């Protein structure tokens, strides 16, 4: 089972590989705002746990397990951003809020949020009603 820290690394590595085709220690360190030595230690742990294959000075590749988990983590992040946007959280708070809650929700909760989003997508008037209610409560 991946820890929240491992999840952050896997998510970042997956995104870097998806965007650039590779993930270097320096890119990971910069993206997560940690020291390269911390990245190297975590990469070694992820290698040991079969999320990736790491060869010193040659780089890393995600295993099928690492790709599957990385994609799931990126999807979870996007889902939570979409959810917070839907319920009216301001853009300035969304990223920090997602980072604060994503590791603390069960996959069952994530699935329920996904279902709720689908409910609102199927009828745009539902989201409009929600925003109208939110405004009414804020004014009260």
């Amino acid at each position: 089972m991946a820890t929240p820290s491992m999840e952050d690394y896997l998510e970042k590595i997956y995104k870097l590989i998806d965007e650039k085709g590779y993930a270097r220690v320096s890119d990971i360190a910069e993206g997560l705002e940690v020291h390269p030595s911390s990245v190297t230690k975590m990469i070694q742990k992820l290698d040991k746990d079969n999320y990736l294959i790491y060869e010193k000075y040659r780089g890393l590749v995600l295993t099928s397990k690492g790709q599957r988990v990385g994609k799931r983590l990126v999807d979870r992040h996007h889902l939570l951003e979409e959810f917070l946007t839907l319920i009216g959280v301001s853009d300035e708070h969304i990223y920090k809020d997602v980072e604060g809650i994503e590791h603390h929700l069960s996959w069952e909760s994530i699935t329920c949020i996904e279902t709720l989003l689908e409910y609102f997508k199927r009828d745009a008037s539902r989201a409009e009603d929600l925003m109208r209610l939110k405004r009414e409560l804020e004014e009260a």
Side-chain angles (χ1 to χ4, degrees):
M1 187 97 189
T3 65
S5 181
M6 291 168 74
E7 287 183 349
D8 285 340
Y9 278 85
L10 283 168
E11 183 179 355
K12 178 54 70 181
I13 292 166
Y14 182 88
K15 286 168 71 173
L16 284 168
I17 291 173
D18 188 50
E19 294 165 6
K20 299 170 94 175
Y22 60 89
R24 297 181 314 197
V25 168
S26 59
D27 296 327
I28 299 165
E30 182 181 323
L32 295 176
E33 298 178 351
V34 297
H35 291 101
S37 60
S38 298
V39 174
T40 300
K41 286 178 188 171
M42 180 59 78
I43 285 175
Q44 290 168 343
K45 175 152 182 47
L46 293 170
D47 183 15
K48 182 176 143 269
D49 291 347
N50 299 312
Y51 289 104
L52 55 82
I53 298 167
Y54 174 64
E55 293 182 33
K56 196 172 184 178
Y57 306 116
R58 296 178 66 71
L60 59 94
V61 290
L62 290 171
T63 62
S64 58
K65 175 183 175 181
Q67 289 174 350
R68 187 178 66 254
V69 172
K71 181 178 183 343
R72 191 173 186 199
L73 296 171
V74 168
D75 291 347
R76 175 183 70 184
H77 191 99
H78 291 307
L79 178 81
L80 291 172
E81 285 179 345
E82 188 178 355
F83 174 68
L84 293 179
T85 299
L86 174 80
I87 62 172
V89 175
S90 64
D91 289 345
E92 68 184 87
H93 294 113
I94 288 177
Y95 180 80
K96 188 174 181 180
D97 287 353
V98 169
E99 288 297 314
I101 64 173
E102 66 184 340
H103 301 297
H104 302 286
L105 293 174
S106 68
W107 287 105
E108 179 185 6
S109 293
I110 296 296
T111 300
C112 290
I113 290 170
E114 187 173 32
T115 303
L116 183 62
L117 283 171
E118 184 61 30
Y119 171 79
F120 282 107
K121 285 179 184 177
R122 289 187 180 190
D123 183 346
S125 69
R126 293 169 179 162
E128 292 165 8
D129 289 345
L130 178 65
M131 288 300 97
R132 189 171 23 262
L133 177 59
K134 181 178 183 276
R135 283 190 300 276
E136 288 173 13
L137 292 173
E138 288 173 346
E139 293 171 359

